[in-house]
Amino acid sequence: MNERPEVSREVLLDARNVTMQFGGLRAVNDVSLQVHTGEIVGLIGPNGAGKTTFFNCLTGLYQPTSGAVEFAGQALPPKPRLVVRAGMARTFQNIRLFHNMTAIENVMVGMYSRTKTNAIDAILRLPRHRREEEESTQRAKDLLEFVGLTGSGDSLSRNLPYGDQRRLEIARALATDPQLLLLDEPTAGMNPQETRQAEELIFKIRDLGLAVLVIEHDMRFIFNLCDRVACLVRGAVLVEGPPAVVQNDPRVIEAYIGMPANDVAAKPTAATEEDADA
Amino acid sequence: MELFFQQLINGLSLGALYALVAVGYTVVYGIVQLINFAHGEIFMIGAFGAYATWVLMGSPSDWTATTSLLVLLPMMIIGGMVASVATALATERFAYRPLRGAPRLAPLISAIGVSVFLQELVRLFFGKIPGMPDAKSSVPFPDIAGISGATITLGGVIIQMPAIFTLAALAVSTVFLWYFVNRTKTGRAMVATSQDPDTARLMGINVDRVIMAAFAVGAALAAIAGVAHGLMNGNIGFRMGFLAGLKAFTAAVLGGIGNINGAVVGGLVLGLAEAMASNYLGTTAWKDVWAFVLLILVLVFRPQGLLGAKVVDRA
Amino acid sequence: MRTVIPDQLKVQLRYPARAVGLAGAAAMVASVFLPWSYGHEALDDVGFTGLPSPLQFVFLILPIAILALLGIPLVGKAKLGRWAKIVAWNTTAKTASLGALATVVVALAAIAIELGGLVNIETGGWLALVGAILAAAATVFLPDSPEPTLSRVKSPRWLQITAIVVVMAIVLFGSAYALGMDDAGAFLTLAALLVGIILTLRQFGVFGWLGIASANNNRVLVMSAFVVAFAFPFTQNGSNANMSIAAQVLIFAATALGLNIVVGLVGLLDLGYIAFLGAGAFTAAVLSDSAFATINFHPPFIVTVLIAGTVSSLLGLMIGAPTLRVSGDYLAIVTLAFGEIFRISMLNLDGSDGPNITHGSAGIPGIPDLNLFGFDFGQAHIIAGIEIGRFANYFWLMLLVMALIILVFTNINHSRIGRGWVAIREDEMAAEAMGVNTFALKLLAFAGGAFLAGIAGAIKAHHDVSVTPEQYVFLESAFLLAAVVLGGMGTVSGVLIGAVILKVLPEKLRFFSDYRLLLFGLLMILMMRFRPEGIIADERRQLEFHDDDEELADEIEEELITHHAHLNPERKGFEL
């Protein structure tokens, strides 16, 4: 187990009683969750439990039917790009890089909301614009190095190996200069070695002072990584607490083992999550 | 009050025309999410097909109303349908099908190409077919005894027979369409495909055939509209599809694109709105502008249309 | 080009095939010294013995190239050294032969049509045909060569710059020569010949090399292109016929470039773009000193042009702000509807259906020539002994506007805004989720494109002398779109080429002008099917259209990395 540094317990993200209703289906039901600065929080749950829908509610993609989300003491703005400006960035379950752009360009798109060049600056190539471009390029390179993609800057992101694409997506999210990073299944499809690297990377991100909220299926990964874990089942929080507690909670074990894939109740929700990504 | 009823009939018959064309946009969009720009030209070719059939039948001008209505007009409609369905299937096969899966810009641009190409094809070559008049300017549409120029008077309101024909054609077509969509195998496959093409394919539906069926149904109705246009306006021309197509698309959006009932309602509403607006809001010169302003307003405030679309935007 | 001939057969036949090919090429060389036609009327006179016409001189390039390509490898691989691999000897010879064959066929067909029958073809013509058939047939039987590696050859800077300047000079004199031809047959023959030569050079690897050279010397390239364009009026000896075409081409190209920002960079299909040009033109017309101008306010043109651009971009905002939120397909239709609204409004603002602003279908005639800082655009000037007429003045002005548009296009494209546009094209939702203000960026492109069109329209009003609603119909929008699609979405040079092709061909080929829309419709369908990225492909666009082509992705990545090694980032784009 990793040594966890003492962190100040300031509430960064405060979601209260978030409910998301699609027609007759309640995909997220009265979920409350807090994330503190410098904390890694895990969100687990069987397929279709509403994890990604909850993410979408946090990042402005969906407007929750009821409930409130506050970020750093402010009510969360209703648009994804404003959420990014407020300091929350995400990755996607099914990687959504700009796949015909190079790695470095992908990262630089992430800096959009933190840069200021306007059309006139760009057309006239004013010193301000050039300085900013240089700084952006340098920072993008640094970020690529940080996630372990040194030397891949000019590769088209579609040509990168799968694991590198996941890391590039993290670098792109970091480029938005977030206080809280939301990772949607960052190790899906990875081999054990890549998973271990991802874990190290997330610790490194935490050590920068960022809070991280992770959705994962890989139990060992999440219990090793997180300070706190919430288990979501059928849209509602079943248990929340330190990994050791959640891990041994009989209800969690039942939710996973006692809920085979052909369970009827899980099915309609699964469809919604796919819709959320479409 | 009589003027109002007069405008009501005018608006409804114009709307029926739009509705017949709008169905073609909506059916195709519902299944392949393609705005078939060239559909206006399919309508135009339907009219020319009907005209050509009339010439092939010996340009009859002295047939009685009964034979005209029972033989001549149905033959012309069938001729128009053959022409427009064949054209629609050919464009689907050669201009759209190879582009499935390409970025959405590609089929749109291809559709504009098809539209320009078909207009020019008729303009340049219709007259080269032996027996056909030159189509570089408008061509007078044949008179059909019993319809052309005929009127009936209902409670002081004079109604043109072509308007009655158009409304009747819409009514009959709607019944057929309802039967086709809800009661035939191909129709139900169409509905299934529009809702979820991948699952439809997995269920053994031949998606290519369904798409062709959608193009064919739309083209057949457009051909009827082409004949109706010829009867109402007295002439046809290679350019007639452009504006009519744009209006019909507006109607389809108005009703909720992808929704067949919506296309019919949207067409009627648009026709009425146009007739009333030009009557009460000044001269007819601006009526097209009102229609397009309506299109923009609908897109802004109710993009799913009046009846709600089955598919708003799956992009 | 792949043939179905088995490789083994090719290897067995390589010597006889080479001999036949050489003989065919020699026959073609000989043919230009013999008359191709009876009489001197066809193809600007190809009827002389011993004295080739200019066209025949240019034609000589292909057979001589074939002689060299087939002859030089005979000295043996060892003596060729690394050149054995740098050049694709056999495949290039094949391309050249097929190009020569196509040219000869077009030329003979033109002679037969112009003079009325095949009997008018003389010995030289038949000899050229036989030679071309022999060469083409023989080279098809040669084994394929590996891909040429000329592009990887390192070369000194001075050589690269010289090459660029030479190419530009050839473009200048070539286009002056081509525009000077008034014989459609000769023009078509030259066109076939040029396509043949260009394809041969491409197969030879010249373009790959030139591409790298021009990427390394971007500024030299752009400067020399402008110098060449600037010099063009001097090649015309005061003749107005071609200058009028040239000025029209530039107005058309400038507008197409503006459209290219919207369609090519952001991927929004704008089908009413011509309305923005029209808005600019009508604004300039009603504010001009024309006796028919309806607004009693006649500011200097500098002010007018800004008002025109602003009016256009306000219209762009009016139409874009509500509709850019809905999907792209709807935008296409809404812009189409907007184009119609514009045209109908211009027709109706005639005093009877609305206030009199445009005089309806009659439009506003009698717009005086521009007068900027005392320089009268209607006046001819003598510079260096050559008369520079009215159209040349407008040509130069448009050149300036073009430079402005290219500056805007390139510099914005290489900024965070440009990256945002690409991101929107690739995945709008992900872009929004990464903090990109997608709506504002789309609106910027839409209104900015409209502004540029408004400027071009204001100049067009003075150039055309009169402005009528019928100049700004949907077909013109489709025509602009065709230039963008044909040339290459998202590229500057491609759209310039597209605009030149679409404007010059109908001017030079009168018999074809009635079919031009038919062919352009067909062209758009075929381009979308076979080469959606256009003649000059923007690399990223190419990838988007060929999404599953992994090989292409690797190739382009390699290119990006090599280019990047030569370039430092700020050298992309131009400075004022």
Side-chain angles (χ1 to χ4, degrees):
Chain A
M1 289 292 253
N2 274 56
E3 200 59 37
R4 292 193 173 114
E6 277 303 308
V7 285
S8 61
R9 292 271 150 188
E10 210 177 297
V11 178
L12 192 59
L13 176 77
D14 187 7
R16 283 191 304 269
N17 312 104
V18 172
T19 296
M20 186 75 220
Q21 183 104 22
F22 294 105
L25 177 87
R26 192 162 280 202
V28 175
N29 188 7
D30 200 28
V31 173
S32 296
L33 185 75
Q34 287 191 338
V35 180
H36 302 86
T37 44
E39 191 182 29
I40 304 180
V41 178
L43 197 57
I44 60 169
N47 266 334
K51 304 184 297 289
T52 298
T53 310
F54 182 58
F55 252 38
N56 289 344
C57 289
L58 294 184
T59 49
L61 229 52
Y62 295 158
Q63 295 308 308
T65 321
S66 66
V69 184
E70 269 185 20
F71 185 75
Q74 303 279 320
L76 201 70
K79 277 191 183 134
R81 71 183 168 85
L82 298 177
V83 170
V84 171
R85 274 201 76 84
M88 209 191 310
R90 68 172 295 177
T91 65
F92 294 91
Q93 185 180 347
N94 45 346
I95 303 174
R96 293 184 78 157
L97 287 166
F98 308 115
H99 67 262
N100 292 320
M101 296 176 97
T102 63
I104 213 159
E105 286 170 331
N106 265 281
V107 178
M108 286 170 88
V109 170
M111 289 173 207
Y112 187 90
S113 60
R114 304 290 173 205
T115 43
K116 293 185 193 66
T117 304
N118 60 31
I120 305 291
D121 299 338
I123 291 168
L124 301 179
R125 296 198 98 65
L126 297 179
R128 166 163 47 154
H129 162 245
R130 279 202 261 172
R131 208 178 317 119
E132 199 176 78
E133 280 288 288
E134 267 165 42
E135 284 166 10
S136 301
T137 315
Q138 191 51 50
R139 186 161 145 64
K141 282 184 185 155
D142 293 346
L143 279 169
L144 286 176
E145 200 185 318
F146 179 79
V147 299
L149 289 176
T150 323
S152 300
D154 286 328
S155 302
L156 292 172
S157 66
R158 61 188 273 168
N159 287 359
L160 289 174
Y162 186 78
D164 286 0
Q165 295 197 5
R166 287 236 175 257
R167 284 195 271 181
L168 177 56
E169 231 195 356
I170 293 177
R172 185 179 68 176
L174 287 176
T176 66
D177 213 359
Q179 287 171 276
L180 171 63
L181 187 63
L182 284 76
L183 303 175
D184 198 345
E185 298 199 20
T187 67
M190 283 185 170
N191 62 34
Q193 195 205 337
E194 287 172 324
T195 306
R196 212 171 317 117
Q197 287 173 345
E199 189 180 292
E200 278 161 28
L201 179 59
I202 295 172
F203 280 130
K204 254 169 74 184
I205 292 168
R206 193 260 318 266
D207 292 345
L208 290 175
L210 271 68
V212 183
L213 179 60
V214 197
I215 292 182
E216 247 318 328
H217 272 305
D218 186 336
M219 290 292 157
R220 197 178 315 171
F221 172 78
I222 209 115
F223 290 131
N224 203 22
L225 184 77
C226 300
D227 303 306
R228 218 147 39 80
V229 176
C231 179
L232 216 58
V233 173
R234 294 190 204 176
V237 178
L238 190 66
V239 202
E240 192 200 321
V245 175
V246 176
Q247 197 167 9
N248 297 318
D249 193 296
R251 287 171 299 173
V252 175
I253 298 168
E254 194 214 300
Y256 270 87
I257 298 164
M259 259 187 141
N262 58 7
D263 189 304
V264 263
K267 271 214 163 160
T269 352
T272 342
E273 268 204 81
E274 262 168 42
D275 280 357
D277 292 320
Chain B
M1 208 54 197
E2 269 167 33
L3 186 67
F4 173 79
F5 280 112
Q6 195 68 61
Q7 291 299 337
L8 189 72
I9 295 295
N10 286 350
L12 282 178
S13 56
L14 191 63
L17 190 77
Y18 294 155
L20 283 170
V21 184
V23 170
Y25 280 105
T26 242
V27 179
V28 168
Y29 191 90
I31 291 176
V32 280
Q33 276 79 55
L34 165 77
I35 295 177
N36 182 12
F37 267 106
H39 189 59
E41 275 58 52
I42 301 294
F43 154 78
M44 176 268 290
I45 283 177
F48 274 91
Y51 182 91
T53 313
W54 176 74
V55 173
L56 289 178
M57 290 173 77
S59 311
S61 55
D62 49 357
W63 290 23
T64 62
T66 322
T67 41
S68 287
L69 289 180
L70 291 181
V71 182
L72 183 57
L73 193 58
M75 286 300 283
M76 284 169 67
I77 292 175
I78 291 169
M81 282 182 178
V82 169
S84 63
V85 171
T87 314
L89 291 181
T91 56
E92 192 276 326
R93 178 67 192 80
F94 295 107
Y96 303 144
R97 194 183 297 179
L99 299 179
R100 262 183 239 158
R104 300 186 86 179
L105 208 53
L108 270 178
I109 292 173
S110 191
I112 296 163
V114 171
S115 166
V116 174
F117 179 77
L118 290 178
Q119 278 188 34
E120 290 295 299
L121 202 64
V122 169
R123 182 178 77 90
L124 292 165
F125 297 113
F126 187 72
K128 301 249 161 86
I129 305 170
M132 301 301 161
D134 194 64
K136 292 190 176 173
S137 52
S138 59
V139 176
F141 201 72
D143 283 342
I144 304 295
I147 294 187
S148 302
T151 55
I152 52 171
T153 314
L154 247 178
V157 181
I158 302 163
I159 304 172
Q160 315 285 330
M161 278 307 281
I164 302 270
F165 167 78
T166 313
L167 281 166
L170 176 68
V172 174
S173 305
T174 312
V175 171
F176 266 104
L177 199 61
W178 180 87
Y179 181 82
F180 173 73
V181 169
N182 295 299
R183 289 285 180 274
T184 66
K185 211 171 135 200
T186 315
R188 275 184 282 189
M190 253 164 71
V191 177
T193 312
S194 78
Q195 281 171 0
D196 189 338
D198 293 330
T199 310
R201 201 186 293 271
L202 288 175
M203 293 294 136
I205 291 174
N206 183 341
V207 174
D208 277 344
R209 263 196 51 198
V210 168
I211 294 173
M212 282 164 66
F215 273 88
V217 168
L221 296 191
I224 299 175
V227 174
H229 176 98
L231 291 172
M232 291 208 296
N233 290 38
N235 55 49
I236 56 176
F238 72 94
R239 266 204 199 104
M240 68 192 243
F242 177 68
L243 204 58
L246 206 49
K247 294 280 188 60
F249 177 80
T250 307
V253 171
L254 202 58
I257 194 154
N259 181 333
I260 295 177
N261 302 331
V264 175
V265 175
L268 294 174
V269 169
L270 181 69
L272 277 177
E274 241 184 63
M276 296 302 164
S278 45
N279 192 32
Y280 296 107
L281 286 178
T283 61
T284 51
W286 293 94
K287 75 177 166 63
D288 295 341
V289 171
W290 299 130
F292 299 138
V293 168
L294 189 65
L295 168 69
I296 294 172
L297 290 178
V298 170
L299 281 180
V300 174
F301 294 107
R302 203 176 156 77
Q304 72 274 35
L306 297 178
L307 298 195
K310 287 195 181 116
V311 189
V312 179
D313 178 23
R314 219 192 268 153
Chain C
M1 253 172 273
R2 255 178 216 113
T3 45
V4 283
I5 302 154
D7 288 343
Q8 211 187 341
L9 186 65
K10 285 186 177 177
V11 173
Q12 281 169 359
L13 287 176
R14 65 192 188 278
Y15 289 112
R18 196 172 289 270
V20 175
L22 284 169
M28 282 191 273
V29 171
S31 77
V32 304
F33 296 98
L34 295 170
W36 283 21
S37 71
Y38 288 102
H40 299 281
E41 280 76 39
L43 300 189
D44 292 340
D45 200 348
V46 287
F48 281 106
T49 309
L51 180 69
S53 78
L55 191 63
Q56 285 170 312
F57 260 120
V58 184
F59 172 73
L60 262 182
I61 294 173
L62 284 180
I64 289 176
I66 300 170
L67 283 177
L69 287 162
L70 293 180
I72 293 175
L74 287 178
V75 303
K77 270 216 168 93
K79 275 193 191 156
L80 279 175
R82 65 196 192 107
W83 284 95
K85 279 195 186 145
I86 287 173
V87 178
W89 299 96
N90 289 347
T91 13
T92 313
K94 183 162 78 185
T95 312
S97 307
L98 292 173
L101 180 58
T103 310
V104 173
V105 169
V106 172
L108 297 191
I111 294 174
I113 290 168
E114 284 180 21
L115 300 182
L118 289 169
V119 290
N120 295 292
I121 299 168
E122 251 263 52
T123 14
W126 293 120
L127 184 63
L129 183 64
V130 170
I133 291 175
L134 282 180
T139 46
V140 166
F141 277 94
L142 285 175
D144 288 329
S145 0
E147 282 290 302
T149 55
L150 186 68
S151 59
R152 301 206 191 125
V153 173
K154 294 237 163 25
S155 44
R157 187 102 191 246
W158 64 266
L159 188 64
Q160 298 184 343
I161 293 178
T162 318
I164 291 172
V165 172
V166 168
V167 169
M168 287 299 163
I170 293 174
V171 169
L172 172 65
F173 290 106
S175 50
Y177 174 68
L179 273 176
M181 299 201 304
D182 28 53
D183 181 298
F187 188 81
L188 273 182
T189 311
L190 185 70
L193 186 53
L194 286 180
V195 171
I197 292 175
I198 287 171
L199 289 178
T200 306
L201 288 175
R202 199 179 79 145
Q203 189 67 57
F204 195 77
V206 171
F207 285 106
W209 184 82
L210 268 180
I212 296 208
S214 45
N216 289 343
N217 303 283
N218 203 353
R219 271 187 222 170
V220 177
L221 179 78
V222 174
M223 291 305 288
S224 53
F226 270 98
V227 168
V228 160
F230 178 79
F232 180 74
F234 291 104
T235 63
Q236 295 301 310
N237 275 324
S239 145
N240 257 341
N242 288 330
M243 280 325 296
S244 144
I245 299 176
Q248 283 172 35
V249 168
L250 279 195
I251 293 173
F252 181 68
T255 320
L257 270 177
L259 178 63
N260 199 18
I261 295 181
V262 183
V263 179
L265 296 187
V266 202
L268 301 169
L269 192 53
D270 185 344
L271 296 177
Y273 197 68
I274 199 75
F276 298 128
L277 188 76
F282 270 105
T283 308
V286 296
L287 296 178
S288 74
D289 289 324
S290 160
F292 298 88
T294 44
I295 292 179
N296 198 12
F297 170 60
H298 309 291
F301 186 69
I302 294 291
V303 179
T304 304
V305 89
L306 290 177
I307 296 177
T310 310
V311 167
S312 286
S313 59
L314 283 179
L315 286 177
L317 287 178
M318 266 169 57
I319 200 74
T323 49
L324 282 170
R325 289 183 200 279
V326 298
S327 106
D329 298 5
Y330 284 167
L331 181 77
I333 292 279
V334 170
T335 50
L336 184 60
F338 168 67
E340 281 302 294
I341 294 179
F342 174 79
R343 186 182 64 85
I344 299 168
S345 306
M346 291 304 110
L347 276 173
N348 285 345
L349 294 175
D350 57 357
S352 68
D353 291 312
N356 187 11
I357 297 176
T358 64
H359 298 290
S361 59
I364 298 172
I367 302 167
D369 275 304
L370 281 178
N371 193 324
L372 281 180
F373 310 112
F375 183 88
D376 185 352
F377 277 70
Q379 216 69 49
H381 304 264
I382 307 282
I383 301 175
I386 291 169
E387 190 184 282
I388 299 299
R390 173 178 184 270
F391 290 112
N393 292 334
Y394 281 101
F395 175 84
W396 278 336
L397 180 65
M398 279 314 298
L399 212 52
L400 273 180
V401 173
M402 186 80 97
L404 172 83
I405 294 181
I406 293 176
L407 187 91
V408 170
F409 185 95
T410 323
N411 285 353
I412 289 205
N413 198 18
H414 288 120
S415 72
R416 73 195 259 272
I417 298 172
R419 282 191 295 275
W421 283 340
V422 181
I424 291 174
R425 241 164 50 200
E426 297 247 318
D427 185 341
E428 187 166 340
M429 199 194 102
E432 182 81 18
M434 285 302 122
V436 177
N437 190 344
T438 54
F439 176 68
L441 277 192
K442 288 198 283 185
L443 202 56
L444 172 72
F446 207 68
F451 187 86
L452 295 177
I455 292 179
I459 297 173
K460 183 175 158 63
H462 289 269
H463 170 271
D464 290 356
V465 181
S466 82
V467 177
T468 62
E470 292 311 313
Q471 289 167 307
Y472 303 97
V473 294
F474 166 68
L475 278 176
E476 294 297 320
S477 286
F479 208 45
L480 282 169
L481 185 69
V484 174
V485 169
L486 174 68
M489 281 183 239
T491 64
V492 171
S493 49
V495 173
L496 293 182
I497 291 175
V500 170
I501 292 176
L502 290 191
K503 273 284 172 186
V504 172
L505 280 190
E507 289 291 340
K508 282 293 151 190
L509 306 174
R510 288 281 170 204
F511 64 87
F512 148 99
S513 65
D514 205 29
Y515 297 92
R516 102 195 155 134
L517 282 170
L518 183 82
L519 291 177
F520 293 148
L522 193 60
L523 190 72
M524 278 205 264
I525 304 169
L526 294 178
M527 286 302 283
M528 279 303 115
R529 174 142 185 205
F530 296 107
R531 200 173 160 83
E533 65 271 31
I535 297 176
I536 307 264
D538 175 68
E539 287 146 350
R540 194 140 29 213
R541 271 293 190 186
Q542 200 172 5
L543 279 177
E544 285 164 23
F545 282 116
H546 304 274
D547 206 27
D548 37 13
D549 193 341
E550 295 306 324
E551 231 169 82
L552 183 71
D554 288 336
E555 223 170 85
I556 285 177
E557 179 175 314
E558 194 180 308
E559 237 167 81
L560 280 177
I561 292 172
T562 22
H563 276 220
H564 203 86
H566 294 285
L567 285 167
N568 53 43
E570 81 238 55
R571 216 192 289 141
K572 289 180 192 167
F574 316 103
E575 277 160 51
L576 271 184

